[in-house]
């Protein structure tokens, strides 16, 4: 008991010491930080009087691009994720297919969206096509991994009962696996739709289309009132997506 208490305090002291050393190693430019406070307060002040009118054409165009990229990339990502997720389930796929699908998932998950967006911008140029490819690629790593794990955790008795009737592999998948994972797949797909819209705001900063490019332009020009208007629209759309996805899940499940 005493040794456990000493070990606990030792871990706490070690963690605090490491945190203090890490903070001491940070080279802070206090003069720049002081100047940044003024710009930060001006940016926050933009939310008091957001400007929706002066750059509305650019804002509306960016929103349409973001929403289009989000929906199409999510649909394409789901269509690609389902077979990869099935192949990534060890209880359904043979070892070579399992390893190949897991490799695809690992590659997709190891690259952050902004890096993938820069790569696709270099390959296909600026615009929403690069954003679509980025979001679809990210969706595969997210959805296929979770789907594969859900398939591996299904109730084996149900699948074995279907297999015992002499059912084929496809029939086992359709009657023994799909009913167990479909509610989860629907929920994950709606959640990924929400994530993709938020990510579309980020990847646009590097030229992958969407509202992010308009937001970046507003910030570069210190048009904080326009930037505040864009952020408010993003928040409203995310809220609408959140509430609608909850309603859809209740209706479908």
């Amino acid at each position: 008991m005493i040794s456990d208490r000493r070990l606990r305090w030792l871990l706490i002291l070690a963690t605090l010491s490491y945190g203090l050393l890490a903070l001491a190693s940070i080279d802070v430019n206090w003069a720049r930080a002081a100047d940044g406070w003024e710009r930060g307060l001006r940016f926050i002040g933009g939310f008091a009087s957001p400007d929706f009118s002066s750059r509305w054409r650019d804002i509306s165009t960016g929103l349409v691009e973001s929403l289009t990229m989000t929906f199409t990339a999510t649909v394409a990502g789901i269509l690609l994720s389902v077979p990869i997720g099935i192949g990534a389930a060890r209880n359904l796929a043979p070892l070579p297919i399992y390893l190949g699908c897991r490799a695809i998932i690992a590659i997709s998950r190891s690259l952050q969206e902004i890096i993938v967006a820069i790569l696709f911008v270099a390959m296909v140029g600026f615009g929403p096509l690069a954003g679509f490819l980025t979001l679809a690629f990210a969706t595969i790593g997210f959805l296929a991994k979770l789907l594969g794990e859900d398939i591996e955790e299904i109730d084996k008795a149900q699948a074995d009962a279907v297999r015992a009737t002499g059912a084929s592999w496809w029939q086992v998948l359709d009657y023994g696996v799909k009913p167990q994972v479909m509610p989860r797949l629907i929920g994950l797909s709606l959640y990924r739709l929400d994530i993709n819209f938020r990510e579309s705001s980020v990847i646009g900063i590097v030229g992958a289309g969407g509202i992010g490019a308009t937001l970046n332009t507003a910030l570069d020009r210190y048009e904080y009132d326009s930037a505040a208007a864009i952020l408010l629209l993003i928040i409203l759309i995310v809220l609408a997506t959140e509430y609608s996805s909850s309603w859809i899940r209740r209706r479908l499940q």
Side-chain angles (χ1 to χ4, degrees):
M1 182 69 179
I2 296 177
S3 60
D4 291 342
R5 186 181 304 164
R6 289 176 178 175
L7 179 60
R8 183 166 59 250
W9 279 107
L10 181 62
L11 290 175
I12 293 173
L13 291 174
T15 303
L16 291 175
S17 300
Y18 178 80
L20 291 174
L21 291 173
L23 289 174
S25 66
I26 299 176
D27 186 14
V28 181
N29 188 337
W30 294 107
R32 182 174 181 179
D35 293 338
W37 271 105
E38 180 184 356
R39 290 191 296 270
L41 291 174
R42 285 167 51 200
F43 176 70
I44 295 174
F47 285 91
S49 57
D51 182 11
F52 293 92
S53 58
S54 62
R55 296 180 61 83
W56 176 246
R57 178 175 295 181
D58 294 334
I59 293 174
S60 60
T61 301
L63 280 176
V64 170
E65 282 189 357
S66 285
L67 291 171
T68 303
M69 283 193 309
T70 298
F71 181 76
T72 56
T74 303
V75 172
I78 292 171
L79 294 176
L80 293 172
S81 297
V82 170
I84 295 175
I86 294 172
R90 189 66 187 92
N91 55 343
L92 284 183
L95 184 60
I97 295 178
Y98 171 80
L99 294 176
C101 290
R102 283 290 174 178
I104 295 173
I105 293 173
I107 293 172
S108 176
R109 287 173 51 79
S110 63
L111 299 176
Q112 211 275 337
E113 282 85 347
I114 198 73
I115 299 175
V116 178
I118 294 173
L119 174 63
F120 280 124
V121 166
M123 292 175 59
V124 302
F126 295 99
L129 177 58
F132 163 79
L133 294 174
T134 299
L135 297 177
F137 182 78
T139 300
I140 293 172
F142 173 86
L143 202 59
K145 173 181 172 58
L146 296 178
L147 178 60
E149 292 176 352
D150 286 339
I151 294 175
E152 289 179 340
E153 295 173 359
I154 62 171
D155 182 7
K156 295 181 180 179
Q158 182 174 339
D160 290 340
V162 176
R163 189 178 292 110
T165 63
S168 65
W169 184 89
W170 287 104
Q171 290 172 326
V172 172
L173 181 65
D174 191 23
Y175 296 103
V177 177
K178 187 178 75 173
Q180 299 189 60
V181 300
M182 184 57 73
R184 174 73 168 163
L185 177 60
I186 293 172
L188 289 173
S189 300
L190 293 173
Y191 180 49
R192 187 65 212 186
L193 181 70
D194 182 15
I195 294 175
N196 280 346
F197 177 74
R198 288 185 279 117
E199 290 295 338
S200 71
S201 305
V202 177
I203 62 176
I205 295 177
V206 297
I211 193 62
T214 309
L215 176 61
N216 188 46
T217 301
L219 291 174
D220 288 343
R221 297 179 179 179
Y222 299 104
E223 297 174 354
Y224 296 128
D225 49 356
S226 297
I230 295 171
L231 291 175
L232 287 173
L233 288 173
I234 292 174
I235 292 171
L236 289 174
I237 292 175
V238 170
L239 285 174
T241 304
E242 179 68 22
Y243 293 136
S244 61
S245 64
S246 299
W247 180 82
I248 292 172
R249 280 197 299 268
R250 287 195 302 268
R251 297 286 294 181
L252 294 178
Q253 296 179 14

